[in-house]
Amino acid sequence: MGSPQDELCPPPTEDDELTLPRASINKIIKELVPSVRVANESRELLLNCCSEFIHLISSEANEVCNMRNKKTINAEHVLEALDRLGFRDYKQEAEAVLNDCKEVAAKRRRQSTRLENLGIPEEELLRQQQELFAKAREEQAREEQQQWMNIQASAVQQNAELLQKQMKQAVEDDDDDDDDY
């Protein structure tokens, strides 16, 4: 008889390709219970449970799809599978998520059609974009040139002030030398 470890986390098989990414499971765990440490064995068990749940729902949805003589499993088939398997609580949450996904997809379609409704060909938009980039580069170059000129002017002014001080000091030193005679 196998160990309890083998019963909870069966050894790898060819079907392991059909599991969820471990990083996704770890992220979900971290989001749901951020202050709890979860052992690797428990993470593997959760991964296996999630995969089995998905296989179960997928199989049932496939049966619903076949009963309706359809070739593609759609959201309604999955929702009916949840209902038939006794996961009515999950069905309500799944419907809410489905509605959210539909809203996001509709919003994306509206945004993409806005661009199409501008009546400006993509080539023209790209040309305008390149023109704006060129103007921005020119403005940046002008600003950098102005900064460089300001730095140069400041350096020239500092040098002139230093030269003036040196000349004044030299004149004062020269006057002091004349008093000695």
Side-chain angles (χ1 to χ4, degrees):
M1 184 169 168
S3 70
Q5 169 68 20
D6 289 339
E7 290 177 24
L8 293 177
C9 301
T13 64
E14 292 177 12
D15 289 340
D16 277 350
E17 294 176 21
L18 303 175
T19 63
L20 297 170
R22 282 177 172 69
S24 297
I25 296 296
N26 291 337
K27 183 179 179 185
I28 291 169
I29 292 170
K30 196 58 132 173
E31 287 176 4
L32 293 175
V33 284
S35 60
V36 176
R37 290 184 54 186
V38 179
N40 285 337
E41 294 170 355
S42 298
R43 290 176 190 271
E44 286 296 318
L45 178 59
L46 285 168
L47 179 67
N48 289 335
C49 289
C50 291
S51 297
E52 278 302 313
F53 181 76
I54 291 170
H55 285 268
L56 177 67
I57 300 300
S58 300
S59 297
E60 190 67 25
N62 188 44
E63 286 183 25
V64 170
C65 182
N66 288 335
M67 283 183 359
R68 294 189 179 166
N69 295 322
K70 301 289 181 180
K71 295 187 181 202
T72 303
I73 298 172
N74 63 35
E76 286 73 30
H77 300 144
V78 174
L79 293 172
E80 187 174 330
L82 286 170
D83 198 32
R84 287 174 56 171
L85 291 170
F87 295 109
R88 286 173 184 81
D89 294 339
Y90 291 121
K91 181 180 175 186
Q92 291 172 350
E93 287 187 40
E95 287 172 333
V97 170
L98 177 61
N99 290 333
D100 290 345
C101 289
K102 285 180 179 180
E103 288 175 17
V104 168
K107 184 178 180 182
R108 283 188 187 146
R109 281 193 300 275
R110 283 192 303 272
Q111 287 176 341
S112 69
T113 57
R114 283 184 195 154
L115 183 63
E116 293 166 2
N117 290 338
L118 286 175
I120 302 172
E122 188 174 344
E123 295 80 22
E124 175 62 17
L125 290 172
L126 288 172
R127 187 195 64 73
Q128 289 177 4
Q129 182 183 40
Q130 292 303 320
E131 188 177 299
L132 289 172
F133 286 157
K135 286 180 182 178
R137 282 191 293 273
E138 288 173 11
E139 181 64 30
Q140 181 68 30
R142 276 195 298 273
E143 287 177 11
E144 289 175 359
Q145 181 71 23
Q146 186 62 42
Q147 287 175 347
W148 176 250
M149 289 171 54
N150 290 345
I151 290 170
Q152 292 296 325
S154 176
V156 166
Q157 184 178 0
Q158 287 176 352
N159 284 340
E161 289 172 359
L162 182 61
L163 186 59
Q164 244 179 355
K165 284 181 184 178
Q166 288 175 346
M167 288 175 55
K168 185 177 180 181
Q169 185 66 39
V171 168
E172 288 175 0
D173 288 346
D174 195 33
D175 285 345
D176 289 342
D177 288 343
D178 289 343
D179 291 341
D180 291 341
Y181 291 111

